[in-house]
Amino acid sequence: MHLFQIRRWILESPPIEWAVLQFRELLIGALRQGPVPRHVAFVMDGNRRFAKSHRMETVEGHNLGFEALAKVLEVCYKSGVKVVTVYAFSIENFKRSKYEVDGLMDMAKVKLAQMLQHGDLLDRYGVSIRVSGQKDLIKPDLLADIDRATTSTSRNGDAILNVCFPYTSHEEITTAIRNTVLDYSKPLPIHQRPFSESHIKHTIRSRHLSAAASRIRDRSRSPSPGAASDVGDSTSSSTTLNAESPSPDSVLAAKVDDISDDEFRNKYPDPESITSEILNDHMYTAGLPPLDLLIRTSGVERLSDFMLWQCHEKTDIVFLKCLWPEFDLWSFLPVLVEWQWRRKKDEERERVARPTARTAVKAKST
């Protein structure tokens, strides 16, 4: 019998399980006394390697990975974490064998059904499910189950499980930019009142310009009878006048062009107003709190095209050597404690920096 199976058998024995449960509740209660990350993300890596090292089917490794996720989710929500984002399936994973991809899709269907039928975890902590990714790559039957899961949990408002499936950051950012361009290509809504002062001025100006334009067109079409005979006598003077001063037609055309340009500029949103906040509103994580903590298992130290936009200067990124099916409270607890310690240090530095900044401002003003 393998060491992992012996350890699992011991921990699942009733007396040990009860003692571990009580100790876990004590630790989680202690964690809640300090700052808790609002948004935690997991790269659940190592399921295949775990299955290979334990001589089991790859799909069974993924199955054990889902069981580990259920336990970690309970720890997160019980500790006070509001949003958990998991990298469930990358778009790049479609390059794997058809057998493994189909197995993952079938397992996703089964696990979604189980979560909805026996949704104690979701109901207990008021968790709503969100699925982020390129959903047009998902099979219709699985997509229907996903829509059913998101709809049935949409009323839960205490916490969120954000499942990235199928997902890559490049695809997310590309989609966000594309949607932003589409929004900025739509005309702005007109909120003018029919009898407002600006509307009346604009209407009068338009009528005067159109009347002047029609008068100039009528003159150009019907020249006066004496115009031909006077051409020879006044060639030099008219030529000089025309060369130095623009014709009424060109002046009117310039005015109309200016008004048209102004109207065009006022009709569409200004691209210069696009900010990172606007792009953030078009991401899959729109409306979610900033990412506080990102954890990747299996010892691989890269993000693998996950949450590239959401990682910011205060995001703690932690790489652990354990494989995802082995990840549990005892792996997670040191990470949370270290995160709390760093946050307390940051708060102390900010507290010390505030009086120093105020003193500098007062000295400068005097």
Side-chain angles (χ1 to χ4, degrees):
M1 187 179 291
H2 199 275
L3 181 63
F4 172 77
Q5 294 173 325
I6 295 175
R7 177 173 171 266
R8 189 177 179 184
W9 177 76
I10 293 174
L11 291 175
E12 289 180 355
S13 61
I16 301 297
E17 188 176 10
W18 180 85
V20 170
L21 182 62
Q22 297 302 314
F23 187 52
R24 188 186 71 170
E25 295 296 321
L26 182 64
L27 290 174
I28 293 175
L31 282 173
R32 289 181 67 93
Q33 302 307 311
V36 177
R38 292 194 301 161
H39 189 175
V40 179
F42 295 100
V43 181
M44 305 181 294
D45 193 19
N47 293 335
R48 290 196 300 172
R49 269 179 281 171
F50 182 86
K52 186 177 181 180
S53 63
H54 291 80
R55 297 179 182 178
M56 59 178 66
E57 290 288 334
T58 302
V59 175
E60 182 60 25
H62 291 299
N63 196 22
L64 291 172
F66 182 84
E67 292 180 12
L69 172 62
K71 295 176 182 177
V72 171
L73 286 177
E74 185 166 12
V75 173
C76 286
Y77 296 135
K78 188 169 286 189
S79 300
V81 177
K82 295 301 181 183
V83 180
V84 176
T85 297
V86 294
Y87 201 1
F89 193 86
S90 170
I91 295 174
E92 298 297 318
N93 288 348
F94 282 109
K95 297 177 182 178
R96 295 181 180 179
S97 66
K98 186 177 184 302
Y99 172 77
E100 184 178 354
V101 172
D102 290 343
L104 285 170
M105 296 297 172
D106 293 340
M107 187 184 72
K109 286 190 65 173
V110 172
K111 297 305 178 183
L112 275 174
Q114 289 178 356
M115 290 178 71
L116 294 178
Q117 291 173 5
H118 311 286
D120 298 338
L121 177 68
L122 303 179
D123 296 336
R124 193 183 318 137
Y125 299 105
V127 181
S128 62
I129 298 176
R130 287 174 55 167
V131 178
S132 304
Q134 199 168 346
K135 295 180 183 178
D136 55 346
L137 299 176
I138 303 175
K139 293 181 179 179
D141 55 340
L142 177 56
L143 187 59
D145 291 341
I146 290 174
D147 291 338
R148 196 177 303 115
T150 54
T151 303
S152 62
T153 61
S154 60
R155 295 182 180 179
N156 297 338
D158 296 331
I160 294 173
L161 172 60
N162 183 34
V163 183
C164 295
F165 181 94
Y167 170 93
T168 62
S169 269
H170 277 70
E171 186 274 331
E172 178 187 21
I173 295 171
T174 303
T175 301
I177 293 174
R178 185 188 303 119
N179 292 336
T180 303
V181 171
L182 288 175
D183 286 349
Y184 273 69
S185 301
K186 297 175 183 176
L188 290 170
I190 299 175
H191 299 293
Q192 285 183 333
R193 291 174 296 162
F195 299 105
S196 65
E197 184 180 351
S198 60
H199 182 71
I200 293 171
K201 285 182 179 178
H202 179 74
T203 304
I204 294 173
R205 188 184 301 113
S206 299
R207 289 179 180 175
H208 279 306
L209 287 173
S210 59
S214 61
R215 286 197 300 271
I216 291 171
R217 281 195 297 269
D218 292 341
R219 287 180 199 157
S220 60
R221 286 173 187 167
S222 56
S224 58
S229 60
D230 293 339
V231 169
D233 298 334
S234 59
T235 300
S236 59
S237 60
S238 63
T239 303
T240 306
L241 180 63
N242 290 335
E244 294 178 353
S245 60
S247 65
D249 287 330
S250 60
V251 173
L252 181 61
K255 289 182 178 180
V256 173
D257 288 342
D258 289 341
I259 292 174
S260 299
D261 290 341
D262 291 338
E263 288 179 351
F264 181 81
R265 280 192 294 269
N266 295 330
K267 191 175 182 181
Y268 292 92
D270 184 6
E272 295 294 330
S273 64
I274 297 176
T275 61
S276 59
E277 288 78 12
I278 289 177
L279 290 178
N280 194 56
D281 291 339
H282 289 83
M283 297 290 167
Y284 294 141
T285 53
L288 300 183
L291 182 61
D292 296 312
L293 178 62
L294 188 149
I295 299 173
R296 177 168 186 160
T297 55
S298 81
V300 177
E301 298 185 359
R302 62 172 181 268
L303 295 181
S304 295
D305 210 357
F306 177 61
M307 304 291 279
L308 300 182
W309 176 268
Q310 289 77 9
C311 288
H312 54 91
E313 67 277 5
K314 291 187 177 180
T315 301
D316 284 3
I317 302 175
V318 180
F319 300 104
L320 301 176
K321 291 185 178 180
C322 66
L323 303 177
W324 177 252
E326 300 169 336
F327 186 76
D328 55 12
L329 173 64
W330 316 113
S331 306
F332 193 23
L333 183 64
V335 177
L336 288 177
V337 171
E338 184 178 359
W339 186 90
Q340 288 186 335
W341 179 81
R342 288 186 180 183
R343 282 296 172 273
K344 288 179 181 177
K345 288 292 183 183
D346 291 342
E347 289 174 3
E348 288 177 7
R349 279 196 294 267
E350 290 175 2
R351 224 179 287 120
V352 171
R354 279 194 211 106
T356 306
R358 287 177 192 157
T359 305
V361 170
K362 287 181 180 178
K364 189 175 181 180
S365 61
T366 56

